[in-house]
Amino acid sequence: MDFSRAAIQAVKLTLLDSGADNEQVQNLFGRVALGEDFLFPEPREWNAELNKRRFELIDMDIQRTLSHAEQLELGVLTQLMRDYVDSYRRSCKETRCHIVSAIDRVSRRLAKP
């Protein structure tokens, strides 16, 4: 068991050295330990139900009543939420680029004599 602990500690240090912070490492370990398949058997989109559960866990964390398993669940939910927000931002940015490009094309057509 000491070997396993040493191996996990080495992975943690490697992740921290690569630029990850403690929260990111904890979230990653939580996702691996519980396995996203354990919490969410199918790929999940962020939704109101997951958001509600995340807020419940945050409240429990503030009250210091969060179990270790719930800490891991909160880490997984937080990462899912962040992935969703990042995906949404990329999608909005791509949409804005398409709109600006379309407006530019129309403007050039209107500017031709």
Side-chain angles (χ1 to χ4, degrees):
M1 195 60 137
D2 288 334
F3 173 75
S4 297
R5 186 179 180 96
I8 291 171
Q9 190 67 16
V11 170
K12 178 182 177 184
L13 292 173
T14 301
L15 290 169
L16 292 171
D17 285 346
S18 73
D21 62 30
N22 277 320
E23 183 182 359
Q24 291 170 320
V25 171
Q26 181 181 1
N27 289 344
L28 180 59
F29 282 169
R31 291 172 82 172
V32 170
L34 289 178
E36 289 182 31
D37 293 342
F38 172 75
L39 290 175
F40 312 114
E42 59 209 43
R44 299 286 302 260
E45 286 289 320
W46 191 249
N47 59 45
E49 176 187 338
L50 296 176
N51 200 46
K52 180 181 176 197
R53 177 62 178 157
R54 184 170 171 272
F55 277 111
E56 289 169 357
L57 292 169
I58 290 170
D59 286 342
M60 293 167 67
D61 189 31
I62 291 168
Q63 296 168 18
R64 302 204 183 277
T65 60
L66 208 57
S67 71
H68 291 293
E70 288 166 332
Q71 286 176 333
L72 295 176
E73 181 184 2
L74 177 58
V76 170
L77 288 173
T78 298
Q79 190 59 50
L80 261 175
M81 182 266 310
R82 288 179 179 159
D83 291 347
Y84 173 76
V85 168
D86 289 346
S87 172
Y88 181 78
R89 283 185 187 149
R90 281 191 300 275
S91 167
C92 288
K93 184 177 179 181
E94 290 169 6
T95 301
R96 277 192 299 258
C97 287
H98 291 307
I99 291 171
V100 168
S101 178
I103 291 171
D104 189 44
R105 285 193 307 272
V106 169
S107 296
R108 281 183 283 175
R109 286 184 187 154
L110 293 174
K112 287 183 181 179

